[in-house]
Amino acid sequence: MVSVVIPTTNRPDSLIRLVASLQLQTTTTEACEVLVVYNTENEKKDSPLQASAFVKLLCAPKPGVNHARNHGALQARGTVILFLDDDCEVTDPSFLQKHFDSHQTNPQLVALGGPYLLKPQASLWDEVYHQNNFNWISANLTEDSRTMALLGGNASYKAFIFTKGYRFTEEIIYGGSETPLNTILALKYGNHGYFLNLPVLHHTNLNLWSLLRKAYQQGIGAALQTRMYGHQLRRVPNNASPSRLAIRFGLELFALFFIYGYQSQVSKKKLPFILIETLMDRYFRKQLIPRVQNQLTQLYWLQHAHIRHPVLVGCNSVFWSTYSGIAKIYWSLYPLFTPISGFLRSLAEPLPINPTSALTYKLRYRCLHVSKKIGWLFFKAVGLR
């Protein structure tokens, strides 16, 4: 028997669409049950669905998707428990039967799942979110279609793991909330199955603001996982290269706000400073500076080898002498960037109890430190140290 658990909140239209698609399954009513778990009693009372032998209406003890998932799993009667998000839709009439058969033919797997399908005429931001999910799954997928990562809105588990005491982490309200359980089960029982013949249609209906909000909340969820389990279980890799520039730009925005959400939980700095530091670290220190350094180094050695760069064919000696001077200035001033940037970052750190005296002390101490560093570099340059 398959038990379908659907945590839901404030999505009546999407919920009706999902339950209607489940009623069209080829499996008999006796072979499956649908448990709809609401966040509050008021939502359950105003439910557009009617309780029946096929559909059961429940209410989680506390708000949160993982409270709802755990509550539904404890009430389920099936040997296989399938979790679906309320913004999904099942398009394959044999979807439930395939999930059950996959567990029967793979008894060593305690969990398995499938992909999300992008709805027709999806917006740009839906495509970005879909690509991000694909990147995450691809980064964790092995050659034998095994993975530690599953999509929370399309994953099924053998029911015995919940009788053994395994639970979704209820402290994580949103953002990769299923990842700790999937990781713990994978470490205990081995990697999960990921099957392309188990897809669901995902109706995300995102705009720019809701996409960035998802990224920010997933970053917060990743920070909570790091704090609870000692390492970051969820990551957002960008290992694919979509052909469309708009998709790549959207993925960069998603990654940026994911890091922003993560740092907002692990750093004591104020949010504007966290955003500025994230931008500088991701795009200036890790991308722009290495590219400029590599280009300058390449041109510098090509000049000494008397090889003209293909881009600079036809440049005369005036250019090379000018460039040589700029390069020498750049490399002589580069050691000063580290203490100066450290000084500027230190000003963003939270102040002690007395702000006025603390700020004065900080400026004096940091300026003295930078001055000593510059003096040390000067004496080293002239050969006195």
Side-chain angles (χ1 to χ4, degrees):
M1 182 177 183
V2 179
S3 296
V4 183
V5 176
I6 307 173
T8 183
T9 178
N10 297 326
R11 285 177 179 167
D13 296 336
S14 300
L15 178 63
I16 292 174
R17 178 177 57 213
L18 174 57
V19 174
S21 68
L22 291 172
Q23 289 175 333
L24 299 177
Q25 292 291 295
T26 54
T27 53
T28 61
T29 305
E30 294 77 16
C32 64
E33 63 176 352
V34 177
L35 293 86
V36 179
V37 188
Y38 289 94
N39 261 331
T40 63
E41 283 290 347
N42 289 334
E43 285 184 279
K44 179 184 174 183
K45 189 183 300 182
D46 299 335
S47 172
L49 301 174
Q50 295 294 327
S52 64
F54 179 67
V55 179
K56 297 181 180 180
L57 305 182
L58 305 174
C59 180
K62 293 181 180 180
V65 64
N66 280 348
H67 285 285
R69 285 171 175 163
N70 289 334
H71 185 67
L74 294 177
Q75 301 295 322
R77 296 182 293 117
T79 56
V80 173
I81 303 177
L82 170 64
F83 294 91
L84 294 175
D85 283 349
D86 58 1
D87 58 353
C88 293
E89 179 184 0
V90 177
T91 56
D92 184 358
S94 58
F95 176 76
L96 295 182
Q97 189 64 46
K98 286 181 179 178
H99 259 281
F100 184 79
D101 292 343
S102 297
H103 278 279
Q104 294 297 106
T105 55
N106 298 278
Q108 76 281 8
L109 299 178
V110 298
L112 56 89
Y116 288 147
L117 294 179
L118 198 60
K119 65 179 183 177
Q121 299 177 344
S123 69
L124 170 65
W125 311 116
D126 291 327
E127 292 184 50
V128 170
Y129 188 65
H130 179 78
Q131 183 67 47
N132 181 76
N133 287 330
F134 174 77
N135 289 353
W136 181 50
I137 289 294
S138 299
N140 292 279
L141 199 61
T142 61
E143 294 181 358
D144 57 349
S145 297
R146 296 294 181 261
T147 179
M148 293 180 69
L150 292 173
L151 298 171
N154 182 16
S156 59
Y157 303 80
K158 288 183 170 62
F160 77 84
I161 67 166
F162 295 99
T163 60
K164 283 193 171 185
Y166 291 100
R167 297 289 185 272
F168 291 97
T169 306
E170 296 179 346
E171 290 83 357
I172 301 175
I173 304 300
Y174 182 87
S177 51
E178 73 285 348
T179 308
L181 177 63
N182 290 334
T183 306
I184 292 169
L185 291 177
L187 294 174
K188 175 70 175 179
Y189 296 99
N191 283 352
H192 314 307
Y194 183 78
F195 301 101
L196 296 177
N197 65 337
L198 299 174
V200 295
L201 196 61
H202 201 196
H203 297 269
T204 45
N205 300 321
L206 295 174
N207 53 33
L208 176 59
W209 171 248
S210 56
L211 176 74
L212 298 182
R213 185 170 177 269
K214 272 182 176 289
Y216 180 77
Q217 290 177 327
Q218 287 187 7
I220 293 176
L224 291 175
Q225 292 168 26
T226 304
R227 187 164 61 200
M228 294 174 63
Y229 297 97
H231 61 94
Q232 184 174 337
L233 299 177
R234 180 178 175 86
R235 57 196 178 97
V236 181
N238 193 1
N239 58 345
S241 298
S243 57
R244 291 176 58 190
L245 178 61
I247 300 295
R248 296 201 298 270
F249 175 73
L251 289 173
E252 283 294 326
L253 279 179
F254 192 97
L256 176 64
F257 274 78
F258 178 89
I259 297 171
Y260 182 35
Y262 185 88
Q263 291 296 330
S264 68
Q265 300 299 305
V266 301
S267 175
K268 295 182 180 180
K269 299 177 184 178
K270 295 183 179 179
L271 291 182
F273 289 115
I274 292 175
L275 180 59
I276 294 172
E277 191 174 76
T278 302
L279 283 167
M280 295 293 290
D281 181 72
R282 183 172 179 81
Y283 299 109
F284 186 74
R285 187 176 69 84
K286 291 183 179 178
Q287 293 187 22
L288 181 60
I289 288 182
R291 288 180 183 178
V292 171
Q293 288 178 350
N294 291 337
Q295 190 67 20
L296 289 175
T297 303
Q298 181 186 16
L299 293 176
Y300 184 79
W301 288 110
L302 286 174
Q303 175 198 0
H304 279 278
H306 302 289
I307 301 174
R308 295 296 176 88
H309 194 276
V311 180
L312 304 175
V313 172
C315 293
N316 55 27
S317 58
V318 175
F319 167 80
W320 288 110
S321 59
T322 305
Y323 164 74
S324 179
I326 294 174
K328 289 178 181 177
I329 294 173
Y330 170 80
W331 288 114
S332 60
L333 292 179
Y334 178 75
L336 302 181
F337 292 163
T338 301
I340 293 175
S341 62
F343 165 69
L344 294 176
R345 282 200 303 270
S346 70
L347 297 179
E349 295 174 357
L351 297 174
I353 299 174
N354 190 344
T356 306
S357 61
L359 180 61
T360 305
Y361 171 78
K362 180 184 290 186
L363 286 171
R364 184 168 63 248
Y365 174 78
R366 292 296 182 180
C367 286
L368 181 62
H369 174 74
V370 172
S371 301
K372 289 181 178 179
K373 186 71 174 179
I374 292 173
W376 183 84
L377 291 170
F378 171 77
F379 286 116
K380 183 178 179 182
V382 299
L384 296 178
R385 289 186 66 90

